[in-house]
Amino acid sequence: MKNFKLNTILVPTDFSETAQNALIHAISLSKKSFAKVVLLHVVESPVFVSPIDMLSTGYIITQMNDDSKANLKFMSDKLVKEHNIEIEIASYSGNVFDNIIQAVYTYDADLIVMGSNGTTGLKEWLFGSTAFNVVDTALVPVLTFSLNSNKCNFKKIVFPFNDNLLTLKKIEQVMVLAKIVNATILLFGYTDSHLISNMSIMRIKGNNLQKIFADEGISSSLTLSHGDNYADEILKFANSEYADIITVVASKNHGTDKDFKLKPDRKLVNHSGIPVLCVPVQE
């Protein structure tokens, strides 16, 4: 992804507490970047409907669509008045995941900000699998917040990297974000080897990254570590530094960072107390 800019932020919502938490952070980022916010709600259609129930179901969905638009307008008017930001509303009907991806293209979104386990009284749609499917598919960065996400001041951004070159392909997006919010980048070099030579290689990579950031006027620090589990070490480091965001790459072939497989990557996206920014990359 070249020439990354932050002009439009897509925020899917199911009006739940978790989605509201993500929206609050999206507004904060919008005010710092002057980006437009597109507030999206999807009325999920039932998959199986009998012919007898079709008429009543159609009426209910129509009513739900009307309620969706009314709720979005109410939220939008309130937010514009309180924060003086540009907001556009979008109400879709159908599959939640498909419509989030479609909205990215329709509104030319540069970033998706979403809750990772939001619920409503009747549905549970903005939860782990939906968030992770969006991360795994979207061709724009996705910033996820769980209900337990700490207040994000966007001041400390963790930049993990290892021997896999894919982990470096988030540099441009992270630098843009860091400049917008005037953040410090916490470089975290990891290797599962205890060899001094491997640590030396990671230090050289880290020093080169620090030079790149310094040339852009971005402050950074470098920490090196080794261990048996990449995800656990990153979380431990991020928590110890009271970090605001953890950044990872989302490869279209491997999911999130090559070493973030299955349970570890879902743990980060779905349950991390620290927001996670996933940047898509092509191998």
Side-chain angles (χ1 to χ4, degrees):
M1 186 180 299
K2 300 296 183 182
N3 303 317
F4 176 74
K5 296 181 180 179
L6 187 54
N7 296 320
T8 303
I9 303 172
L10 177 66
V11 185
T13 180
D14 62 353
F15 308 117
S16 67
E17 190 177 356
T18 302
Q20 184 64 22
N21 185 40
L23 176 59
I24 290 171
H25 291 95
I27 291 170
S28 176
L29 187 55
S30 169
K31 292 169 73 172
K32 290 180 172 68
S33 62
F34 303 102
K36 176 178 72 175
V37 170
V38 176
L39 194 56
L40 167 70
H41 177 65
V42 181
V43 175
E44 193 166 16
S45 304
V47 179
F48 301 105
V49 180
S50 69
I52 297 176
D53 294 332
M54 192 170 294
L55 289 177
S56 61
T57 300
Y59 172 79
I60 292 172
I61 291 176
T62 298
Q63 185 62 52
M64 291 173 68
N65 280 321
D66 290 343
D67 291 344
S68 171
K69 293 174 184 177
N71 288 333
L72 287 172
K73 187 177 187 310
F74 176 80
M75 289 178 64
S76 174
D77 290 346
K78 185 172 183 290
L79 292 171
V80 169
K81 183 178 180 180
E82 291 179 353
H83 300 284
N84 192 31
I85 59 175
E86 182 181 359
I87 297 183
E88 189 168 348
I89 59 175
S91 179
Y92 288 179
S93 180
N95 177 274
V96 174
F97 166 70
D98 290 341
N99 278 289
I100 291 174
I101 298 302
Q102 179 58 48
V104 171
Y105 295 102
T106 301
Y107 293 94
D108 195 22
D110 303 294
L111 173 70
I112 301 171
V113 176
M114 65 187 296
S116 59
N117 61 347
T119 60
T120 66
L122 297 176
K123 297 288 184 181
E124 216 174 292
W125 65 266
L126 199 56
F127 69 123
S129 61
T130 299
F132 186 74
N133 284 337
V134 171
V135 166
D136 203 38
T137 306
L139 297 181
V140 298
V142 182
L143 179 56
T144 60
F145 293 84
S146 72
L147 181 58
N148 298 320
S149 290
N150 303 324
K151 181 178 180 181
C152 183
N153 294 313
F154 297 106
K155 291 302 180 184
K156 294 182 178 180
I157 302 175
V158 175
F159 188 112
F161 67 97
N162 59 15
D163 294 331
N164 181 3
L165 293 179
L166 286 181
T167 60
L168 302 180
K169 290 191 175 183
K170 52 182 178 270
I171 292 176
E172 182 178 5
Q173 292 81 355
V174 173
M175 286 199 303
V176 169
L177 179 59
K179 286 182 178 181
I180 289 172
V181 298
N182 192 28
T184 296
I185 295 177
L186 309 181
L187 287 161
F188 182 74
Y190 171 88
T191 176
D192 56 10
S193 171
H194 293 259
L195 296 176
I196 295 178
S197 58
N198 287 67
M199 294 297 286
S200 297
I201 292 173
M202 297 306 295
R203 183 173 296 280
I204 292 172
K205 287 184 177 181
N207 290 336
N208 288 337
L209 286 169
Q210 284 194 287
K211 184 178 185 305
I212 292 173
F213 296 144
D215 288 343
E216 294 293 329
I218 301 170
S219 63
S220 66
S221 64
L222 174 62
T223 300
L224 302 178
S225 178
H226 57 75
D228 298 322
N229 189 295
Y230 190 25
D232 286 348
E233 291 298 320
I234 290 173
L235 285 172
K236 187 189 304 181
F237 171 74
N239 283 316
S240 70
E241 295 291 331
Y242 300 98
D244 295 301
I245 296 175
I246 298 172
T247 64
V248 293
V249 296
S251 165
K252 299 301 103 176
N253 293 329
H254 295 290
T256 307
D257 276 353
K258 183 178 179 182
D259 293 281
F260 282 75
K261 294 263 185 143
L262 300 176
K263 186 176 180 181
D265 59 3
R266 291 181 183 273
K267 176 181 178 183
L268 278 176
V269 172
N270 299 338
H271 304 294
S272 173
I274 299 173
V276 180
L277 176 68
C278 298
V279 178
V281 298
Q282 300 291 341
E283 291 192 55

PDB file of all heavy atoms in Angstrom, residues 7-32:
ATOM      1  N   ASN A   7      -8.083   9.986   5.164  1.00  0.00           N
ATOM      2  CA  ASN A   7      -9.126  10.948   4.832  1.00  0.00           C
ATOM      3  C   ASN A   7     -10.513  10.488   5.281  1.00  0.00           C
ATOM      4  O   ASN A   7     -11.367  11.323   5.597  1.00  0.00           O
ATOM      5  CB  ASN A   7      -9.150  11.207   3.317  1.00  0.00           C
ATOM      6  CG  ASN A   7      -7.879  11.851   2.819  1.00  0.00           C
ATOM      7  OD1 ASN A   7      -7.314  12.731   3.463  1.00  0.00           O
ATOM      8  ND2 ASN A   7      -7.403  11.402   1.667  1.00  0.00           N
ATOM      9  N   THR A   8     -10.743   9.180   5.290  1.00  0.00           N
ATOM     10  CA  THR A   8     -12.062   8.645   5.632  1.00  0.00           C
ATOM     11  C   THR A   8     -11.934   7.449   6.566  1.00  0.00           C
ATOM     12  O   THR A   8     -11.195   6.506   6.259  1.00  0.00           O
ATOM     13  CB  THR A   8     -12.830   8.217   4.365  1.00  0.00           C
ATOM     14  OG1 THR A   8     -12.942   9.324   3.468  1.00  0.00           O
ATOM     15  CG2 THR A   8     -14.226   7.715   4.721  1.00  0.00           C
ATOM     16  N   ILE A   9     -12.641   7.494   7.676  1.00  0.00           N
ATOM     17  CA  ILE A   9     -12.635   6.411   8.660  1.00  0.00           C
ATOM     18  C   ILE A   9     -14.006   5.749   8.665  1.00  0.00           C
ATOM     19  O   ILE A   9     -15.024   6.409   8.912  1.00  0.00           O
ATOM     20  CB  ILE A   9     -12.321   6.934  10.069  1.00  0.00           C
ATOM     21  CG1 ILE A   9     -10.984   7.667  10.100  1.00  0.00           C
ATOM     22  CG2 ILE A   9     -12.325   5.787  11.081  1.00  0.00           C
ATOM     23  CD1 ILE A   9     -10.700   8.382  11.422  1.00  0.00           C
ATOM     24  N   LEU A  10     -14.055   4.469   8.376  1.00  0.00           N
ATOM     25  CA  LEU A  10     -15.308   3.710   8.408  1.00  0.00           C
ATOM     26  C   LEU A  10     -15.484   3.096   9.788  1.00  0.00           C
ATOM     27  O   LEU A  10     -14.603   2.396  10.277  1.00  0.00           O
ATOM     28  CB  LEU A  10     -15.293   2.606   7.346  1.00  0.00           C
ATOM     29  CG  LEU A  10     -16.512   1.681   7.318  1.00  0.00           C
ATOM     30  CD1 LEU A  10     -17.774   2.441   6.901  1.00  0.00           C
ATOM     31  CD2 LEU A  10     -16.268   0.492   6.382  1.00  0.00           C
ATOM     32  N   VAL A  11     -16.639   3.363  10.407  1.00  0.00           N
ATOM     33  CA  VAL A  11     -16.906   2.845  11.746  1.00  0.00           C
ATOM     34  C   VAL A  11     -18.195   2.023  11.736  1.00  0.00           C
ATOM     35  O   VAL A  11     -19.296   2.585  11.789  1.00  0.00           O
ATOM     36  CB  VAL A  11     -17.036   3.976  12.784  1.00  0.00           C
ATOM     37  CG1 VAL A  11     -17.179   3.393  14.188  1.00  0.00           C
ATOM     38  CG2 VAL A  11     -15.843   4.919  12.715  1.00  0.00           C
ATOM     39  N   PRO A  12     -18.102   0.697  11.656  1.00  0.00           N
ATOM     40  CA  PRO A  12     -19.300  -0.143  11.761  1.00  0.00           C
ATOM     41  C   PRO A  12     -19.818  -0.125  13.198  1.00  0.00           C
ATOM     42  O   PRO A  12     -19.027  -0.148  14.148  1.00  0.00           O
ATOM     43  CB  PRO A  12     -18.793  -1.546  11.387  1.00  0.00           C
ATOM     44  CG  PRO A  12     -17.450  -1.334  10.752  1.00  0.00           C
ATOM     45  CD  PRO A  12     -16.898  -0.108  11.398  1.00  0.00           C
ATOM     46  N   THR A  13     -21.132  -0.077  13.365  1.00  0.00           N
ATOM     47  CA  THR A  13     -21.698  -0.075  14.714  1.00  0.00           C
ATOM     48  C   THR A  13     -22.948  -0.928  14.783  1.00  0.00           C
ATOM     49  O   THR A  13     -23.719  -0.997  13.823  1.00  0.00           O
ATOM     50  CB  THR A  13     -22.032   1.352  15.191  1.00  0.00           C
ATOM     51  OG1 THR A  13     -22.578   1.299  16.512  1.00  0.00           O
ATOM     52  CG2 THR A  13     -23.050   2.013  14.264  1.00  0.00           C
ATOM     53  N   ASP A  14     -23.130  -1.604  15.888  1.00  0.00           N
ATOM     54  CA  ASP A  14     -24.390  -2.291  16.164  1.00  0.00           C
ATOM     55  C   ASP A  14     -25.073  -1.634  17.358  1.00  0.00           C
ATOM     56  O   ASP A  14     -25.959  -2.212  17.971  1.00  0.00           O
ATOM     57  CB  ASP A  14     -24.169  -3.789  16.404  1.00  0.00           C
ATOM     58  CG  ASP A  14     -23.296  -4.065  17.614  1.00  0.00           C
ATOM     59  OD1 ASP A  14     -22.749  -3.087  18.180  1.00  0.00           O
ATOM     60  OD2 ASP A  14     -23.151  -5.231  18.000  1.00  0.00           O
ATOM     61  N   PHE A  15     -24.602  -0.416  17.692  1.00  0.00           N
ATOM     62  CA  PHE A  15     -25.141   0.390  18.789  1.00  0.00           C
ATOM     63  C   PHE A  15     -24.870  -0.232  20.159  1.00  0.00           C
ATOM     64  O   PHE A  15     -25.498   0.128  21.142  1.00  0.00           O
ATOM     65  CB  PHE A  15     -26.649   0.626  18.618  1.00  0.00           C
ATOM     66  CG  PHE A  15     -27.021   1.171  17.267  1.00  0.00           C
ATOM     67  CD1 PHE A  15     -27.821   0.446  16.403  1.00  0.00           C
ATOM     68  CD2 PHE A  15     -26.550   2.413  16.853  1.00  0.00           C
ATOM     69  CE1 PHE A  15     -28.155   0.943  15.153  1.00  0.00           C
ATOM     70  CE2 PHE A  15     -26.880   2.926  15.604  1.00  0.00           C
ATOM     71  CZ  PHE A  15     -27.687   2.185  14.749  1.00  0.00           C
ATOM     72  N   SER A  16     -23.915  -1.158  20.213  1.00  0.00           N
ATOM     73  CA  SER A  16     -23.575  -1.802  21.483  1.00  0.00           C
ATOM     74  C   SER A  16     -22.521  -0.985  22.220  1.00  0.00           C
ATOM     75  O   SER A  16     -21.962  -0.017  21.691  1.00  0.00           O
ATOM     76  CB  SER A  16     -23.024  -3.210  21.237  1.00  0.00           C
ATOM     77  OG  SER A  16     -21.772  -3.137  20.576  1.00  0.00           O
ATOM     78  N   GLU A  17     -22.219  -1.394  23.439  1.00  0.00           N
ATOM     79  CA  GLU A  17     -21.222  -0.698  24.255  1.00  0.00           C
ATOM     80  C   GLU A  17     -19.836  -0.799  23.636  1.00  0.00           C
ATOM     81  O   GLU A  17     -19.060   0.156  23.644  1.00  0.00           O
ATOM     82  CB  GLU A  17     -21.226  -1.267  25.674  1.00  0.00           C
ATOM     83  CG  GLU A  17     -20.401  -0.462  26.661  1.00  0.00           C
ATOM     84  CD  GLU A  17     -20.490  -1.010  28.080  1.00  0.00           C
ATOM     85  OE1 GLU A  17     -21.255  -1.967  28.311  1.00  0.00           O
ATOM     86  OE2 GLU A  17     -19.777  -0.467  28.953  1.00  0.00           O
ATOM     87  N   THR A  18     -19.523  -1.973  23.104  1.00  0.00           N
ATOM     88  CA  THR A  18     -18.210  -2.162  22.491  1.00  0.00           C
ATOM     89  C   THR A  18     -18.065  -1.308  21.237  1.00  0.00           C
ATOM     90  O   THR A  18     -17.025  -0.672  21.012  1.00  0.00           O
ATOM     91  CB  THR A  18     -17.993  -3.642  22.128  1.00  0.00           C
ATOM     92  OG1 THR A  18     -18.125  -4.431  23.293  1.00  0.00           O
ATOM     93  CG2 THR A  18     -16.613  -3.857  21.529  1.00  0.00           C
ATOM     94  N   ALA A  19     -19.106  -1.282  20.418  1.00  0.00           N
ATOM     95  CA  ALA A  19     -19.076  -0.458  19.209  1.00  0.00           C
ATOM     96  C   ALA A  19     -18.985   1.024  19.566  1.00  0.00           C
ATOM     97  O   ALA A  19     -18.297   1.800  18.900  1.00  0.00           O
ATOM     98  CB  ALA A  19     -20.316  -0.732  18.369  1.00  0.00           C
ATOM     99  N   GLN A  20     -19.665   1.413  20.631  1.00  0.00           N
ATOM    100  CA  GLN A  20     -19.617   2.801  21.078  1.00  0.00           C
ATOM    101  C   GLN A  20     -18.208   3.168  21.539  1.00  0.00           C
ATOM    102  O   GLN A  20     -17.723   4.277  21.288  1.00  0.00           O
ATOM    103  CB  GLN A  20     -20.615   3.023  22.219  1.00  0.00           C
ATOM    104  CG  GLN A  20     -20.723   4.455  22.711  1.00  0.00           C
ATOM    105  CD  GLN A  20     -21.261   5.410  21.650  1.00  0.00           C
ATOM    106  OE1 GLN A  20     -21.927   4.980  20.714  1.00  0.00           O
ATOM    107  NE2 GLN A  20     -20.963   6.692  21.798  1.00  0.00           N
ATOM    108  N   ASN A  21     -17.540   2.228  22.193  1.00  0.00           N
ATOM    109  CA  ASN A  21     -16.167   2.449  22.631  1.00  0.00           C
ATOM    110  C   ASN A  21     -15.247   2.695  21.435  1.00  0.00           C
ATOM    111  O   ASN A  21     -14.409   3.604  21.439  1.00  0.00           O
ATOM    112  CB  ASN A  21     -15.681   1.234  23.430  1.00  0.00           C
ATOM    113  CG  ASN A  21     -14.301   1.432  24.018  1.00  0.00           C
ATOM    114  OD1 ASN A  21     -13.971   2.514  24.508  1.00  0.00           O
ATOM    115  ND2 ASN A  21     -13.481   0.394  23.979  1.00  0.00           N
ATOM    116  N   ALA A  22     -15.427   1.888  20.384  1.00  0.00           N
ATOM    117  CA  ALA A  22     -14.627   2.070  19.170  1.00  0.00           C
ATOM    118  C   ALA A  22     -14.937   3.411  18.520  1.00  0.00           C
ATOM    119  O   ALA A  22     -14.032   4.106  18.030  1.00  0.00           O
ATOM    120  CB  ALA A  22     -14.905   0.929  18.187  1.00  0.00           C
ATOM    121  N   LEU A  23     -16.212   3.807  18.524  1.00  0.00           N
ATOM    122  CA  LEU A  23     -16.617   5.072  17.919  1.00  0.00           C
ATOM    123  C   LEU A  23     -15.977   6.259  18.628  1.00  0.00           C
ATOM    124  O   LEU A  23     -15.539   7.221  17.985  1.00  0.00           O
ATOM    125  CB  LEU A  23     -18.140   5.198  17.951  1.00  0.00           C
ATOM    126  CG  LEU A  23     -18.731   6.520  17.440  1.00  0.00           C
ATOM    127  CD1 LEU A  23     -18.328   6.761  15.993  1.00  0.00           C
ATOM    128  CD2 LEU A  23     -20.253   6.498  17.585  1.00  0.00           C
ATOM    129  N   ILE A  24     -15.916   6.203  19.943  1.00  0.00           N
ATOM    130  CA  ILE A  24     -15.301   7.291  20.712  1.00  0.00           C
ATOM    131  C   ILE A  24     -13.855   7.502  20.277  1.00  0.00           C
ATOM    132  O   ILE A  24     -13.394   8.629  20.084  1.00  0.00           O
ATOM    133  CB  ILE A  24     -15.365   6.986  22.218  1.00  0.00           C
ATOM    134  CG1 ILE A  24     -16.817   7.083  22.714  1.00  0.00           C
ATOM    135  CG2 ILE A  24     -14.476   7.946  23.008  1.00  0.00           C
ATOM    136  CD1 ILE A  24     -17.007   6.598  24.138  1.00  0.00           C
ATOM    137  N   HIS A  25     -13.137   6.393  20.094  1.00  0.00           N
ATOM    138  CA  HIS A  25     -11.739   6.499  19.674  1.00  0.00           C
ATOM    139  C   HIS A  25     -11.628   6.961  18.223  1.00  0.00           C
ATOM    140  O   HIS A  25     -10.697   7.688  17.851  1.00  0.00           O
ATOM    141  CB  HIS A  25     -11.036   5.162  19.859  1.00  0.00           C
ATOM    142  CG  HIS A  25     -10.851   4.786  21.288  1.00  0.00           C
ATOM    143  ND1 HIS A  25     -11.720   3.972  21.967  1.00  0.00           N
ATOM    144  CD2 HIS A  25      -9.905   5.136  22.192  1.00  0.00           C
ATOM    145  CE1 HIS A  25     -11.313   3.824  23.208  1.00  0.00           C
ATOM    146  NE2 HIS A  25     -10.202   4.519  23.373  1.00  0.00           N
ATOM    147  N   ALA A  26     -12.575   6.532  17.383  1.00  0.00           N
ATOM    148  CA  ALA A  26     -12.569   6.970  15.989  1.00  0.00           C
ATOM    149  C   ALA A  26     -12.785   8.478  15.901  1.00  0.00           C
ATOM    150  O   ALA A  26     -12.164   9.158  15.081  1.00  0.00           O
ATOM    151  CB  ALA A  26     -13.652   6.232  15.206  1.00  0.00           C
ATOM    152  N   ILE A  27     -13.654   8.998  16.752  1.00  0.00           N
ATOM    153  CA  ILE A  27     -13.908  10.437  16.776  1.00  0.00           C
ATOM    154  C   ILE A  27     -12.646  11.189  17.186  1.00  0.00           C
ATOM    155  O   ILE A  27     -12.283  12.210  16.600  1.00  0.00           O
ATOM    156  CB  ILE A  27     -15.061  10.757  17.740  1.00  0.00           C
ATOM    157  CG1 ILE A  27     -16.378  10.235  17.170  1.00  0.00           C
ATOM    158  CG2 ILE A  27     -15.160  12.265  17.990  1.00  0.00           C
ATOM    159  CD1 ILE A  27     -17.525  10.279  18.153  1.00  0.00           C
ATOM    160  N   SER A  28     -11.966  10.658  18.199  1.00  0.00           N
ATOM    161  CA  SER A  28     -10.719  11.284  18.651  1.00  0.00           C
ATOM    162  C   SER A  28      -9.697  11.333  17.526  1.00  0.00           C
ATOM    163  O   SER A  28      -9.034  12.357  17.303  1.00  0.00           O
ATOM    164  CB  SER A  28     -10.153  10.510  19.846  1.00  0.00           C
ATOM    165  OG  SER A  28      -8.901  11.028  20.243  1.00  0.00           O
ATOM    166  N   LEU A  29      -9.586  10.240  16.799  1.00  0.00           N
ATOM    167  CA  LEU A  29      -8.638  10.180  15.686  1.00  0.00           C
ATOM    168  C   LEU A  29      -9.080  11.101  14.553  1.00  0.00           C
ATOM    169  O   LEU A  29      -8.251  11.747  13.896  1.00  0.00           O
ATOM    170  CB  LEU A  29      -8.518   8.739  15.188  1.00  0.00           C
ATOM    171  CG  LEU A  29      -7.457   8.449  14.132  1.00  0.00           C
ATOM    172  CD1 LEU A  29      -6.088   8.896  14.607  1.00  0.00           C
ATOM    173  CD2 LEU A  29      -7.445   6.960  13.805  1.00  0.00           C
ATOM    174  N   SER A  30     -10.389  11.180  14.327  1.00  0.00           N
ATOM    175  CA  SER A  30     -10.927  12.058  13.286  1.00  0.00           C
ATOM    176  C   SER A  30     -10.594  13.520  13.569  1.00  0.00           C
ATOM    177  O   SER A  30     -10.227  14.276  12.665  1.00  0.00           O
ATOM    178  CB  SER A  30     -12.444  11.886  13.184  1.00  0.00           C
ATOM    179  OG  SER A  30     -13.027  12.882  12.382  1.00  0.00           O
ATOM    180  N   LYS A  31     -10.715  13.914  14.812  1.00  0.00           N
ATOM    181  CA  LYS A  31     -10.448  15.309  15.183  1.00  0.00           C
ATOM    182  C   LYS A  31      -8.974  15.655  14.998  1.00  0.00           C
ATOM    183  O   LYS A  31      -8.619  16.783  14.668  1.00  0.00           O
ATOM    184  CB  LYS A  31     -10.889  15.551  16.628  1.00  0.00           C
ATOM    185  CG  LYS A  31     -12.395  15.483  16.807  1.00  0.00           C
ATOM    186  CD  LYS A  31     -12.811  15.464  18.255  1.00  0.00           C
ATOM    187  CE  LYS A  31     -12.648  16.793  18.931  1.00  0.00           C
ATOM    188  NZ  LYS A  31     -13.223  16.807  20.296  1.00  0.00           N
ATOM    189  N   LYS A  32      -8.103  14.662  15.205  1.00  0.00           N
ATOM    190  CA  LYS A  32      -6.666  14.900  15.047  1.00  0.00           C
ATOM    191  C   LYS A  32      -6.246  14.906  13.576  1.00  0.00           C
ATOM    192  O   LYS A  32      -5.299  15.592  13.187  1.00  0.00           O
ATOM    193  CB  LYS A  32      -5.873  13.845  15.814  1.00  0.00           C
ATOM    194  CG  LYS A  32      -5.958  13.964  17.334  1.00  0.00           C
ATOM    195  CD  LYS A  32      -5.147  12.863  17.997  1.00  0.00           C
ATOM    196  CE  LYS A  32      -5.056  13.068  19.521  1.00  0.00           C
ATOM    197  NZ  LYS A  32      -6.360  12.885  20.181  1.00  0.00           N
TER     198      LYS A  32
END
